[in-house]
């Protein structure tokens, strides 16, 4: 029996390890460093903590083996290589001739297939390229895989697997249409094209590798140049793995801050096998011996373990009627467009300060320019904003006074106030609260909830609060 070897033992948690905007795990205020010539004497220099929390999610995914996978519809806007993306049966493999259907045992294992991207779009492009679909980065192929609302988040995805079986059939029109499931045939006559797509997806599975898999997905906004983002995200993933294995200090958030990783999410999914046999310590959350789970693998509980070019076939191949085929093709296009609209672009909100001026910008380049050209040091990410209006989001306006001080507001007093993005109208379980504070002459913004701030407690909340997205 082959075994999956992980880089390190992993803890099982279902809630946030750390929480932005308050709590015992808030990152301490950075040590002030306004530069050798800060101008006015800085007596009470305060900078907000950054959003360096890490949400950890552990999921399990059951599947009934190759018979459930092969011939099933598949939604390519859903989760990559997941039983959750399977839809109703299009091709009934029991109707295929013995010459057409190929199923054989193919034991093998991999310590990790790695996919990555500097942002959500490039990550999804990497996934879709592996399957041989989606040359257009604007299409939401496998968008259901994403575990962050931030379109600017960098991703690293590792899939370790044990393969048990391989199965497939020729995806030719003659082979497919002779073996259509009874339900699909009836639904072609009874359902609208849009309802057909909802029930059967956009493609169907014509080739599949099944067995056991452990999928590890990590995302974070990385405050760095594009050339550094993936490598820093990978280091962030390694830091979380080490922390959950007890090999890192108690404050993971400080480590992630040092790697310029903000608003991280770590998702580990166990696929296939008898999932009740997964052992872990309920006190520490650390995984125990996975031998029993791995040895429980059987053809009846195998799950998808890989997707490759040619494994997924367009649903329209299964439709003989030319007019209906065209209508379903248009329905798929509409479905993809609707899915694309749900993927809203975001921008980060970064903070810079020299101890006198406080500035809040929405790009790494702006923050870097303030530090390098104006001596206003970058202090990381507070949260994210929607780039354009989405749902019930409301505009966030910004104005910079003649003295260089910046003020944020939910109203636009004059046309000089610029909209820099959109925030949530109220607090949610996944939002970050940004509090306005003042020392009587200056304004600043922080995600730390307190009654006073700074070394001499001269800063106090004004009562204004903005609800950001996590980075």
């Amino acid at each position: 029996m082959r075994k999956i070897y992980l880089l390190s033992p992993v803890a099982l948690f279902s809630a946030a390890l750390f929480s932005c905007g308050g709590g015992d795990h808030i990152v301490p205020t950075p040590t002030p460093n306004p530069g050798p010539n800060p101008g006015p004497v800085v007596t009470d220099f305060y900078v907000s903590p950054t959003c360096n929390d890490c949400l950890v999610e552990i999921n399990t995914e059951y599947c009934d083996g190759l018979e459930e996978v092969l011939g099933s519809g598949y939604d390519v806007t859903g989760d990559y290589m997941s039983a959750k993306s399977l839809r109703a049966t299009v091709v009934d493999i029991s109707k295929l001739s013995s010459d057409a259907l190929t199923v054989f045992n193919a034991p093998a294992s991999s310590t990790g297939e790695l996919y990555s991207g500097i942002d959500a779009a490039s990550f999804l492009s990497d996934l879709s390229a592996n399957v041989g679909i989606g040359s257009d980065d604007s299409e939401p192929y496998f968008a259901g895989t994403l575990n962050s609302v931030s379109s600017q988040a960098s991703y690293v995805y590792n899939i370790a697997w044990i393969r048990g079986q391989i199965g497939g059939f020729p995806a030719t029109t003659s082979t497919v249409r002779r073996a259509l499931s009874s339900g699909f045939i009836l639904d072609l006559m009874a359902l609208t094209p849009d309802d057909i797509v909802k029930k059967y997806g956009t493609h169907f599975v014509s080739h599949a590798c099944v067995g056991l898999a452990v999928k590890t997905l990590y995302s974070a906004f990385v405050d760095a140049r594009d050339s550094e983002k993936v490598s820093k995200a990978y280091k962030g993933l390694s830091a979380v793995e080490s922390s959950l294995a007890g090999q890192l200090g108690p404050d993971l958030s400080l480590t992630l801050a040092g790697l310029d990783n903000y608003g991280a999410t770590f998702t580990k999914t166990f696929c296939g096998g008898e999932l009740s046999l997964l052992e872990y310590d309920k006190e520490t959350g650390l995984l125990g011996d996975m031998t029993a789970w791995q040895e429980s693998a059987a053809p009846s509980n195998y799950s998808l373990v890989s997707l490759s070019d040619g494994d997924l076939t367009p649903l329209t191949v299964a439709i003989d009627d030319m007019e209906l085929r065209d209508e379903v093709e248009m329905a798929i296009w509409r479905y993809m467009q609707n899915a694309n609209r749900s993927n809203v672009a975001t921008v980060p909100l970064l903070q810079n300060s020299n101890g006198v001026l406080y500035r809040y910008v929405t790009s790494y380049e702006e923050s870097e320019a303030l530090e390098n050209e104006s001596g206003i040091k970058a202090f990381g990410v507070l949260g994210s904003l929607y780039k354009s209006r989405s749902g019930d989001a409301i505009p966030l306006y910004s104005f910079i006074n003649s003295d260089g001080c910046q003020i944020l507001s939910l109203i636009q007093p004059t046309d000089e106030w610029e909209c820099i993005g959109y925030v949530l109208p109220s607090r949610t379980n996944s939002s970050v609260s940004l509090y306005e504070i003042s020392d009587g002459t200056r304004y600043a913004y922080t995600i730390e909830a307190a009654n006073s701030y700074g070394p001499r407690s001269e800063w106090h909340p004004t009562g204004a609060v903005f609800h950001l997205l996590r980075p």
Side-chain angles (χ1 to χ4, degrees):
M1 174 67 185
R2 296 172 183 265
K3 290 188 176 183
I4 297 177
Y5 293 96
L6 302 178
L7 294 177
S8 61
V10 183
L12 270 73
F13 290 90
S14 59
L17 288 180
F18 307 102
S19 176
C20 286
D24 296 334
H25 299 288
I26 199 75
V27 181
T29 300
T31 301
N33 183 20
N37 299 299
V41 176
V42 179
T43 60
D44 202 14
F45 185 31
Y46 171 81
V47 175
S48 172
T50 50
C51 190
N52 298 20
D53 69 331
C54 181
L55 298 178
V56 177
E57 306 165 339
I58 298 296
N59 300 320
T60 56
E61 196 171 280
Y62 185 79
C63 189
D64 288 326
L66 189 62
E67 290 188 2
E68 179 186 358
V69 175
L70 203 56
S72 291
Y74 199 93
D75 183 356
V76 296
T77 71
D79 195 354
Y80 176 79
M81 201 198 79
S82 171
K84 295 185 295 183
S85 296
L86 295 175
R87 297 296 180 261
T89 302
V90 175
V91 176
D92 185 346
I93 60 174
S94 68
K95 294 182 178 181
L96 292 167
S97 67
S98 57
D99 292 336
L101 178 64
T102 302
V103 176
F104 57 93
N105 294 329
S109 63
S110 169
T111 56
E113 297 177 1
L114 193 65
Y115 306 92
S116 61
I118 62 171
D119 56 22
S122 61
F123 169 62
L124 296 180
S125 179
D126 194 23
L127 293 180
S128 59
N130 185 62
V131 186
I133 62 173
S135 58
D136 185 354
D137 288 350
S138 66
E139 296 292 350
Y141 296 105
F142 305 115
T145 310
L146 302 177
N147 63 359
S148 170
V149 298
S150 173
S151 62
Q152 301 299 310
S154 299
Y155 280 85
V156 177
Y157 195 19
N158 181 271
I159 303 173
W161 49 260
I162 300 172
R163 189 180 66 201
Q165 288 182 317
I166 295 176
F169 55 85
T172 60
T173 55
S174 57
T175 299
V176 169
R177 293 172 189 173
R178 283 198 299 265
L180 295 179
S181 70
S182 299
F184 185 69
I185 293 171
L186 292 174
D187 284 338
L188 290 179
M189 296 182 288
L191 299 180
T192 66
D194 290 302
D195 287 337
I196 290 171
V197 175
K198 289 178 183 177
K199 183 172 182 178
Y200 291 95
T202 58
H203 291 65
F204 61 88
V205 183
S206 54
H207 185 272
C209 297
V210 294
L212 299 183
V214 180
K215 302 185 293 187
T216 305
L217 178 64
Y218 177 83
S219 66
F221 176 80
V222 181
D223 187 15
R225 298 179 183 277
D226 286 353
S227 59
E228 301 174 307
K229 287 183 176 179
V230 170
S231 62
K232 287 195 170 188
Y234 187 82
K235 290 177 182 177
L237 166 63
S238 299
V240 177
E241 292 270 23
S242 296
S243 176
L244 299 181
Q247 299 170 358
L248 193 67
D251 203 337
L252 173 64
S253 58
L254 289 176
T255 302
L256 293 178
L259 295 169
D260 300 313
N261 280 224
Y262 301 97
T265 301
F266 176 97
T267 305
K268 190 170 285 287
T269 304
F270 294 87
C271 308
E274 182 53 59
L275 297 167
S276 63
L277 296 177
L278 282 169
E279 296 182 6
Y280 64 97
D281 188 316
K282 291 182 171 60
E283 294 296 325
T284 65
L286 297 178
L287 278 176
D289 187 359
M290 292 197 300
T291 302
W293 169 65
Q294 295 192 55
E295 290 181 347
S296 72
S300 60
N301 60 30
Y302 283 160
S303 185
L304 269 172
V305 297
S306 67
L307 279 178
S308 302
D309 191 358
D311 288 356
L312 301 178
T313 301
L315 183 66
T316 50
V317 171
I319 301 174
D320 186 41
D321 185 283
M322 184 178 298
E323 182 178 353
L324 179 57
R325 185 165 65 244
D326 290 343
E327 291 175 350
V328 170
E329 188 170 357
M330 285 302 299
I332 291 173
W333 180 85
R334 288 192 296 272
Y335 183 77
M336 298 287 287
Q337 292 301 303
N338 288 334
N340 200 28
R341 279 194 285 271
S342 67
N343 300 319
V344 182
T346 61
V347 292
L349 186 64
L350 303 103
Q351 60 178 341
N352 288 64
S353 180
N354 62 2
V356 178
L357 299 178
Y358 292 83
R359 297 292 296 275
Y360 303 90
V361 296
T362 56
S363 77
Y364 171 77
E365 289 75 19
E366 289 178 272
S367 180
E368 185 180 42
L370 284 172
E371 180 168 89
N372 294 338
E373 299 171 15
S374 304
I376 305 176
K377 184 176 173 61
F379 281 103
V381 180
L382 299 174
S384 289
L385 312 173
Y386 287 119
K387 190 173 183 179
S388 57
R389 190 182 294 274
S390 174
D392 56 358
I394 53 179
L396 179 64
Y397 297 99
S398 168
F399 180 72
I400 299 175
N401 289 319
S402 58
D403 61 3
C405 292
Q406 185 175 3
I407 305 175
L408 304 179
S409 174
L410 296 179
I411 61 173
Q412 187 180 27
T414 69
D415 291 341
E416 294 177 308
W417 289 67
E418 175 191 6
C419 178
I420 60 172
Y422 295 80
V423 297
L424 299 171
S426 58
R427 184 171 185 168
T428 69
N429 290 334
S430 58
S431 65
V432 179
S433 295
L434 182 69
Y435 304 95
E436 183 180 76
I437 61 175
S438 176
D439 66 351
T441 58
R442 297 173 295 171
Y443 288 89
Y445 299 87
T446 179
I447 62 173
E448 181 180 12
N451 293 321
S452 61
Y453 306 85
R456 295 169 57 184
S457 299
E458 292 182 1
W459 292 86
H460 300 279
T462 67
V465 183
F466 311 104
H467 304 290
L468 312 179
L469 304 166
R470 292 183 70 248

